[in-house]
Amino acid sequence: MTDKSKIQGEGDRESAKRYNKDTQEFVESGKVEEAARKAGEGDKEEMERAEKAGEERAREYDPAVDRDYSKPTR
């Protein structure tokens, strides 16, 4: 039962190759800093609301958020 269709499902190798190629080209283009700066220019209140909404949907608190790295974890 060999299906030669183009549908590859989850883990699509062709899409992964295309994504990796496009990502590499973007990094090499030198536009990363500009894109990061633009991403940080959003409305602060809107970002805080979105963060709070995400935290409310979380199943449990993430201890890495407020971790004291000067103390051992175990």
Side-chain angles (χ1 to χ4, degrees):
M1 204 166 156
T2 57
D3 185 7
K4 300 275 184 181
S5 71
K6 293 281 185 184
I7 299 173
Q8 296 181 11
E10 210 169 317
D12 178 351
R13 289 185 178 131
E14 290 177 28
S15 295
K17 285 181 185 178
R18 195 168 43 251
Y19 170 81
N20 290 338
K21 178 182 166 277
D22 292 346
T23 301
Q24 186 66 35
E25 288 175 0
F26 177 72
V27 169
E28 291 173 354
S29 74
K31 297 179 182 177
V32 175
E33 291 293 326
E34 178 185 346
R37 195 170 19 265
K38 281 185 179 179
E41 292 175 354
D43 180 17
K44 184 177 180 182
E45 290 178 8
E46 181 181 351
M47 287 186 201
E48 289 173 351
R49 280 194 306 272
E51 184 175 359
K52 185 173 182 172
E55 289 173 351
E56 289 174 357
R57 286 192 306 268
R59 289 184 177 216
E60 60 186 46
Y61 176 73
D62 183 3
V65 172
D66 293 319
R67 175 174 279 155
D68 182 358
Y69 288 99
S70 66
K71 297 179 181 177
T73 56
R74 293 187 182 157

